[in-house]
Amino acid sequence: MDLEISKKDRIILINQYRILAKLEPNESERLEELIEILENGYRLFYSMIDEWISDDMPEDRSILVLDILGIYRIIEDHKRLVSSQAVMEHSFHFFPGFDGNNESEYLSFSRFLIEKQGKFTEQKPYLKRNDNLNSHLPMVPKYRKMVNAWKSMGSAYHLTEQQILSILDA
C-alpha cells in the first residue's frame, strides 16, 4: 500500500527526524536520508518511512494466541496439581511456540504477551527449551485443532487428564 503523506505531514516528520537525529547520533545517517526523501517529495521511497511498522494483526489471530496460551495455562495448572505421567510424557505437554519463518506475527504477539505484558508467566521456564517461543515448524494448524477440541469441551478450565490428552492429541 502506498503511503500518502501531505505536505503538512512531511513538514512534521522532517522536524521530528531532525530532533531524533540530534538525540540519536547513531541513527542520524538513516534519519538524514529520510529527511531528504521527505524534503524532495521522493514518493518512490516513502515506503522507507513506515517499513518498520507492521500491518495490523487481525483479531482472530490474536484470539487464537490467547486461546492457545490459555489452554497451556490449564495444562500447567494440571501438571502442578496432579502428578500425571501421561501428560508430562506427551510431546506437546509444554507450549512449543510458533514458527519464526512462517508464523512470525503469532510469535511476536506471544513474546509480547509473555515478556512485555507479563502474562502467561508460567511459560517463561520453557523459553530456553522452545528457543524463545520459536517452534521452527508451523504450529497454527495444530493449535486450531487443539482450540477446537477445547471448545468442544465447553472451554472448561478444569480438565481431566483424559480431556487434556485429547486436546494435545488433536
Side-chain angles (χ1 to χ4, degrees):
M1 181 172 89
D2 287 333
L3 183 62
E4 292 293 326
I5 304 175
S6 69
K7 277 190 172 183
K8 176 180 148 190
D9 292 337
R10 286 170 44 201
I11 292 168
I12 292 169
L13 286 170
I14 289 166
N15 288 330
Q16 290 293 317
Y17 289 149
R18 284 184 177 146
I19 293 167
L20 280 173
K22 299 287 185 203
L23 294 173
E24 299 181 30
N26 293 340
E27 292 290 316
S28 65
E29 189 174 318
R30 183 181 67 82
L31 294 167
E32 291 296 331
E33 180 182 6
L34 294 175
I35 289 168
E36 191 166 338
I37 289 168
L38 289 165
E39 284 178 338
N40 294 298
Y42 299 145
R43 291 181 57 82
L44 178 66
F45 296 110
Y46 282 2
S47 63
M48 291 176 65
I49 294 165
D50 72 343
E51 66 188 0
W52 56 278
I53 298 175
S54 299
D55 291 333
D56 292 346
M57 183 173 183
E59 283 187 33
D60 63 323
R61 293 181 183 180
S62 301
I63 291 168
L64 177 67
V65 172
L66 289 168
D67 282 346
I68 199 64
L69 286 170
I71 289 169
Y72 273 100
R73 172 169 281 165
I74 293 165
I75 293 167
E76 287 301 312
D77 287 346
H78 181 83
K79 291 189 306 190
R80 186 174 41 80
L81 298 172
V82 180
S83 180
S84 170
Q85 194 66 26
V87 171
M88 289 297 291
E89 291 176 354
H90 197 284
S91 59
F92 288 106
H93 79 91
F94 69 92
F95 178 57
F98 292 96
D99 183 23
N101 293 323
N102 301 297
E103 300 167 343
S104 58
E105 187 176 45
Y106 297 93
L107 176 61
S108 295
F109 188 55
S110 297
R111 286 178 178 161
F112 170 76
L113 290 169
I114 295 166
E115 296 170 357
K116 294 284 189 248
Q117 288 197 328
K119 296 179 171 136
F120 304 102
T121 56
E122 67 278 355
Q123 296 306 318
K124 283 189 173 189
Y126 298 112
L127 293 180
K128 286 186 180 167
R129 201 166 170 187
N130 64 14
D131 195 18
N132 197 30
L133 304 176
N134 188 348
S135 63
H136 298 286
L137 65 127
M139 294 299 300
V140 170
K142 168 73 173 164
Y143 291 150
R144 287 190 196 288
K145 291 176 187 174
M146 290 173 66
V147 168
N148 288 338
W150 176 60
K151 286 183 177 181
S152 75
M153 297 170 192
S155 303
Y157 290 95
H158 299 288
L159 300 173
T160 66
E161 176 183 282
Q162 192 53 49
Q163 287 173 314
I164 289 173
L165 291 171
S166 176
I167 290 170
L168 293 174
D169 286 335

